[in-house]
Amino acid sequence: MKSSHRPGFRRIGRGVLAAAALLGLVFGTQAGTSTAAEPRQVYVALGDSMASGPLILPITGPVACARSTNNYPHELAERLGVDELRDVTCSGADTKDMTSPQPLSLLDVDMGEAPPQFDALGTDTTLVTLTIGGNDAGLVGIANDCMQLNPFAATCKSRFTAGGVDQVAQRVDAVGPKLAAVLDGIHAKAPNARVVVTGYGLYIKAGGCWPIQPILNTDANYLQGNVDRLNGVIAAQAAAHGAEYVDVRTPSLGHDACRAPSDRWVEGYVPTNLAAPLHPNERGEWNYARIIQESMS
């Protein structure tokens, strides 16, 4: 599924030095050429499981981070032809794991810690991608709580909006200040880097597709609506803190978990492609990389 390489950021300047050539004729010296030195392109990928690609083989790094070599950072690095990729994305990461060690576990077994993701940043960093916020809002856990096999059951939305307060929307809005701090921290640690922030994709179409995906139609709209709300928060914070926002939701239309397995970019509650439930599959990661690259050109 890999795409062909595109030229990276290098540009080679070459010119014949006429004066030196003339002197060479007189003094027997040979005119040369000069190559302008370009800085190394160091790409640091930060983020959660949307970026790490859990259960997409093969994996690299800490097993509990479920980081795939077929995730969007690896594909994007290949497309851009960077000199170095530092992919520190990790499943389960939230904004605090940018600056603090992330406790890791697998099947409830302690797997140690992942270093703070900001440790990968430096003055040599030229590109940063960031996908974060979904775990701060707890969206995957909420989606799991909303799974419903009984079409006559009360909606999940009614539970989360009881009393006229939308608890999920509150959690989503609370991501804003945390993300602002993360973006400011990236600029402080990597002042020479271009910073690109992604949103999250289209997980389920309007109205849902019960029982293909066991979530009531009202709840399908409610959950995707809060994903879209989070995308709005991310876009606003990116604009306010010197980063570029990449919309992966709009290009995902027609590739949600209700579609045929060969068309899906994200998996549903029971994956039909190798990927974690409610996460992008390899096709999705590949397309996210393509969308990000196109947005950068």
Side-chain angles (χ1 to χ4, degrees):
M1 190 178 294
K2 294 292 184 185
S3 63
S4 59
H5 283 72
R6 282 188 49 170
F9 300 128
R10 293 175 174 77
R11 296 183 299 275
I12 300 177
R14 190 184 297 258
V16 177
L17 304 181
L22 180 60
L23 289 173
L25 292 175
V26 176
F27 296 105
T29 60
Q30 182 176 2
T33 61
S34 64
T35 301
E38 290 287 336
R40 294 182 73 248
Q41 302 302 315
V42 178
Y43 166 26
V44 176
L46 309 174
D48 58 23
S49 53
M50 190 199 120
S52 69
L55 300 189
I56 301 172
L57 298 177
I59 63 170
T60 183
V63 173
C65 278
R67 184 186 307 141
S68 173
T69 59
N70 283 314
N71 62 11
Y72 88 65
H74 278 78
E75 173 65 25
L76 182 62
E78 183 176 348
R79 285 169 170 264
L80 297 176
V82 299
D83 297 293
E84 181 182 355
L85 167 64
R86 300 173 191 161
D87 181 3
V88 291
T89 59
C90 190
S91 294
D94 59 27
T95 53
K96 71 178 180 294
D97 299 316
M98 302 297 103
T99 54
S100 300
Q102 179 182 345
L104 300 177
S105 64
L106 188 63
L107 301 176
D108 295 324
V109 176
D110 184 2
M111 300 291 286
E113 293 180 332
Q117 293 192 23
F118 273 15
D119 285 2
L121 298 171
T123 56
D124 62 341
T125 306
T126 54
L127 172 65
V128 176
T129 59
L130 173 68
T131 303
I132 204 73
N135 291 321
D136 291 86
L139 291 182
V140 171
I142 292 167
N144 283 324
D145 287 344
C146 290
M147 184 172 66
Q148 183 56 257
L149 297 175
N150 178 3
F152 304 106
T155 65
C156 182
K157 177 181 178 180
S158 65
R159 184 168 81 249
F160 281 111
T161 59
V165 177
D166 190 333
Q167 300 172 43
V168 179
Q170 285 185 328
R171 296 183 195 183
V172 168
D173 292 345
V175 174
K178 300 175 185 179
L179 181 56
V182 168
L183 292 171
D184 290 345
I186 292 172
H187 289 304
K189 296 273 289 183
N192 302 311
R194 181 177 185 178
V195 182
V196 177
V197 185
T198 79
Y200 292 82
L202 178 65
Y203 290 85
I204 193 163
K205 69 177 184 176
C209 55
W210 191 95
I212 295 173
Q213 298 301 332
I215 181 171
L216 301 180
N217 293 353
T218 296
D219 291 335
N221 293 340
Y222 176 66
L223 291 176
Q224 184 62 51
N226 275 294
V227 173
D228 296 343
R229 187 183 187 99
L230 178 59
N231 287 339
V233 169
I234 294 170
Q237 293 301 327
H241 293 270
E244 302 169 39
Y245 174 73
V246 178
D247 169 25
V248 298
R249 194 266 196 221
T250 302
S252 297
L253 186 64
H255 301 286
D256 62 274
C258 289
R259 308 299 171 170
S262 59
D263 292 329
R264 294 178 185 177
W265 291 1
V266 295
E267 296 301 316
Y269 289 89
V270 179
T272 56
N273 295 285
L274 197 59
L278 307 178
H279 281 78
N281 54 35
E282 185 176 352
R283 187 180 301 106
E285 296 285 345
W286 187 92
N287 278 287
Y288 293 160
R290 173 184 58 80
I291 294 163
I292 296 167
Q293 181 197 22
E294 291 172 355
S295 77
M296 293 174 60
S297 59

